[in-house]
């Protein structure tokens, strides 16, 4: 299945592909997107989004980023991306992008890994913790969840700016926690 925004960002995708392919990476189609590998290890991927086209580096957190153009991708720890909205923006950064790709290849060659935080290292927002402390069954259900599922609730609740919203989110999570599923899991 084609990415829904692939057509909209065709020119940007093609410009980014040319730059990355000039750096001797192998192109594969992964997750329906152009992915670039070095010795079968993922290095970069082009992601057409609703509002932009992004060049994403799988281990972007390890890149030096002297131009400060890499952006964090949501709650992702290792990946970083650069978003574009026109071929002109890509052309203006062509040399920089090439140097970032070469650095990403060096990172892959070195075998470096991004030190990832464990789910237990994330602080449970006080509004969620209050709900857990008020019901032993809920607390036991939360602790029985996989680390990734616990993290999904921590991120969802802590993502709200206001305490009132965090408390409301924590309350809405109760039935899902008791059912044993993560926040982003659907019931089909």
């Amino acid at each position: 299945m084609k990415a829904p925004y692939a057509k909209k960002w065709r020119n940007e995708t093609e410009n980014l592909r040319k730059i990355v392919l000039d750096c001797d990476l192998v192109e594969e189609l992964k997750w329906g997107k152009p992915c670039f590998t070095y010795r079968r290890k993922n290095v970069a991927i082009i992601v057409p989004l609703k509002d932009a086209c992004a060049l994403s580096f799988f281990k972007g957190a390890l890149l030096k980023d002297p131009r400060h153009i890499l952006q964090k991708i949501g709650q992702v720890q290792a990946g970083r991306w650069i978003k574009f909205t026109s071929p002109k923006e890509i052309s203006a950064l062509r040399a920089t992008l090439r140097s970032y790709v070469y650095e990403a290849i060096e990172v892959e060659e070195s075998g470096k890994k991004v030190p990832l935080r464990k789910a237990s290292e994330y602080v449970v927002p006080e509004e969620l913790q209050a709900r857990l402390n008020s019901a032993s069954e809920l607390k036991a259900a939360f602790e029985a969840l996989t680390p990734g599922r616990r993290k999904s609730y921590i991120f969802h609740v802590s993502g709200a700016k206001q305490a009132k919203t965090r408390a409301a989110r924590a309350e809405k999570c109760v039935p899902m926690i008791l059912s044993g599923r993560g926040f982003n899991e659907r019931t089909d």
Side-chain angles (χ1 to χ4, degrees), residues 2 18 27 37 45 49 51 53 81 91 96 125 130 146 152 173:
K2 280 256 187 207
K18 287 175 188 166
E27 182 178 21
T37 62
I45 190 166
L49 304 164
D51 61 339
C53 183
W81 64 16
S91 294
T96 300
T146 63
S152 71
C173 292

Side-chain angles (χ1 to χ4, degrees), residues 119-164:
S120 60
E121 295 178 60
Y122 290 95
V123 177
V124 177
E126 65 182 66
E127 295 81 2
L128 179 57
Q129 190 63 57
R131 287 294 295 125
L132 298 174
N133 292 343
S134 70
S136 59
E137 181 186 351
L138 179 62
K139 188 172 188 171
F142 185 76
E143 290 171 358
L145 293 173
T146 63
R149 287 177 173 152
R150 284 193 303 270
K151 202 164 59 170
S152 71
Y153 290 109
I154 291 169
F155 288 162
H156 174 66
V157 175
S158 65
K161 293 178 184 163
Q162 295 182 14
K164 183 172 82 176

Side-chain angles (χ1 to χ4, degrees), residues 1-172:
M1 184 175 121
K2 280 256 187 207
Y5 303 108
K7 206 180 261 188
K8 179 178 180 180
W9 301 108
R10 185 176 298 141
N11 291 338
E12 290 78 7
T13 298
E14 284 307 309
N15 285 332
L16 289 169
R17 280 183 67 242
K18 287 175 188 166
I19 292 168
V20 178
L21 288 171
D22 283 346
C23 297
D24 299 321
L25 290 175
V26 174
E27 182 178 21
E28 299 178 32
L29 193 64
K30 293 187 179 185
W31 308 285
K33 296 164 184 58
C35 183
F36 304 91
T37 62
Y38 175 78
R39 295 185 181 163
R40 298 190 166 188
K41 301 279 187 175
N42 296 334
V43 173
I45 190 166
I46 297 171
V47 186
L49 304 164
K50 185 176 183 177
D51 61 339
C53 183
L55 176 61
S56 178
F57 294 94
F58 287 90
K59 294 183 180 177
L62 297 176
L63 301 181
K64 292 181 184 93
D65 192 20
R67 298 279 305 269
H68 306 290
I69 56 176
L70 292 174
Q71 300 171 340
K72 200 167 182 201
I73 306 168
Q75 301 292 342
V76 173
Q77 295 180 57
R80 298 290 184 272
W81 64 16
I82 308 164
K83 292 181 180 180
F84 300 95
T85 56
S86 74
K88 193 175 180 179
E89 290 176 344
I90 295 167
S91 294
L93 286 174
R94 183 175 303 279
T96 300
L97 295 176
R98 286 178 57 86
S99 70
Y100 279 41
V101 171
Y102 282 124
E103 184 184 356
I105 293 168
E106 287 173 24
V107 164
E108 202 52 61
E109 278 184 319
S110 74
K112 288 182 187 174
K113 298 206 182 296
V114 176
L116 302 176
R117 289 173 59 187
K118 295 179 180 159
S120 60
E121 295 178 60
Y122 290 95
V123 177
V124 177
E126 65 182 66
E127 295 81 2
L128 179 57
Q129 190 63 57
R131 287 294 295 125
L132 298 174
N133 292 343
S134 70
S136 59
E137 181 186 351
L138 179 62
K139 188 172 188 171
F142 185 76
E143 290 171 358
L145 293 173
T146 63
R149 287 177 173 152
R150 284 193 303 270
K151 202 164 59 170
S152 71
Y153 290 109
I154 291 169
F155 288 162
H156 174 66
V157 175
S158 65
K161 293 178 184 163
Q162 295 182 14
K164 183 172 82 176
T165 308
R166 287 191 300 274
R169 285 185 180 185
E171 186 62 39
K172 285 182 181 177

